[in-house]
Amino acid sequence: MKILGICSSPRVESNTNYYLNEVLDEAKAKGADTEIIKLAGKKISGCHGCYGCVEAKKCIIEDDFQEIYNKIVEADGLLLASPVYHSCITPELKSVLDRMGFSGRWAKNEMKETNKSYDWKGSVLSGKVVSPITVARRAGQNFAFAEILLWAATNDCIIVGNTYWNVGVAGKGGSVNANEDEEGIGIMRRLADNMVDVISKLNK
Ligand SMILES: Cc1cc2nc3c(=O)[nH]c(=O)nc-3n(C[C@H](O)[C@H](O)[C@H](O)COP(=O)(O)O)c2cc1C
């Protein structure tokens, strides 16, 4: 079982990474293979809307995205983690989600002819077990969280629940102090248990 965490803070040392580590440490203790990809310092353009992926069956923009695409394709579970920026996910994560969702869909499908309806054959994301994690100093969690949920819901993914939203509260004045957020850390550990359970049940 492979669980991949995408940490979309532009900061190398970040609260978002701290929470992701909490989830993945717990998942590892339950037997999962885990990995974190930090988007900090990576060159990842936004989607150009060129539709080049329809023919090429992959995104044709050459940058650090291709490596991330391949890692996501290999993963059973995907934790999409973002700091809240003005009530939204970071542009780094938005770029990955747009390009992943679009090129992942066209990798498995053909553009329909005029007057014909779609006969979707899934996506490279079909059946992946996904969960959002958002981190804010104070407000805007729900909107950012919903952005990730909506992406997963339209990309044929299976969304994992929890007894609370997977949110961390940290970062006043730019501090990296997620370790003080006892409640948030508990939420992350339970998320790991739920994700491992769901993937195990799906693979029975
Ligand atoms: C550009 C920018 C926008 C932010 N917008 C919000 C916001 O809308 N709501 C909030 O509570 N915190 C906001 N913050 C604070 C961060 O979400 C908070 O510090 C978080 O812990 C940073 O995560 P990181 O350490 O993983 O980078 C913002 C920070 C930055 C730099």
Side-chain angles (χ1 to χ4, degrees):
M1 177 190 307
K2 283 190 187 166
I3 302 184
L4 176 67
I6 307 279
C7 176
S8 79
S9 173
R11 311 195 299 170
V12 177
E13 298 307 322
S14 69
N15 293 302
T16 306
N17 192 53
Y18 186 93
Y19 290 111
L20 255 184
N21 263 319
E22 287 293 326
V23 186
L24 291 180
D25 283 353
E26 177 79 10
K28 200 186 260 176
K30 294 200 151 253
D33 282 344
T34 63
E35 184 177 351
I36 292 183
I37 296 180
K38 290 184 181 180
L39 300 188
K42 294 209 183 297
K43 285 201 170 63
I44 303 171
S45 154
C47 175
H48 291 178
C50 64
Y51 283 69
C53 56
V54 176
E55 291 298 320
K57 302 292 171 205
K58 62 183 183 101
C59 181
I60 61 169
I61 306 168
E62 286 180 14
D63 59 12
D64 292 335
F65 171 74
Q66 304 305 340
E67 171 206 346
I68 296 169
Y69 178 100
N70 291 332
K71 295 265 185 193
I72 291 177
V73 169
E74 284 167 16
D76 303 297
L78 192 55
L79 294 158
L80 299 169
S82 184
V84 174
Y85 276 14
H86 292 104
S87 199
C88 296
I89 57 173
T90 60
E92 287 83 355
L93 184 58
K94 182 75 167 84
S95 295
V96 168
L97 296 187
D98 282 344
R99 290 171 66 187
M100 194 69 219
F102 217 60
S103 62
R105 171 171 304 230
W106 293 116
K108 297 263 184 182
N109 293 280
E110 304 298 328
M111 181 64 78
K112 75 178 174 75
E113 289 167 33
T114 317
N115 298 330
K116 284 200 176 161
S117 56
Y118 278 113
D119 174 21
W120 291 109
K121 294 177 180 65
S123 152
V124 299
L125 294 158
S126 294
K128 298 220 180 280
V129 176
V130 174
S131 202
I133 296 172
T134 57
V135 181
R137 181 187 71 82
R138 190 174 181 86
Q141 300 269 23
N142 285 7
F143 194 90
F145 199 87
E147 283 184 279
I148 301 171
L149 285 180
L150 289 170
W151 176 88
T154 196
N155 280 294
D156 220 11
C157 299
I158 296 162
I159 298 163
V160 180
N162 200 344
T163 49
Y164 198 82
W165 300 285
N166 315 311
V167 300
V169 176
K172 186 176 179 189
S175 54
V176 178
N177 62 340
N179 61 311
E180 295 164 17
D181 177 21
E182 209 178 307
E183 187 177 353
I185 290 165
I187 293 165
M188 299 307 153
R189 294 204 179 129
R190 187 176 169 94
L191 169 60
D193 294 345
N194 288 354
M195 183 169 264
V196 169
D197 272 2
V198 170
I199 296 170
S200 303
K201 282 174 186 158
L202 286 169
N203 290 329
K204 257 187 192 159

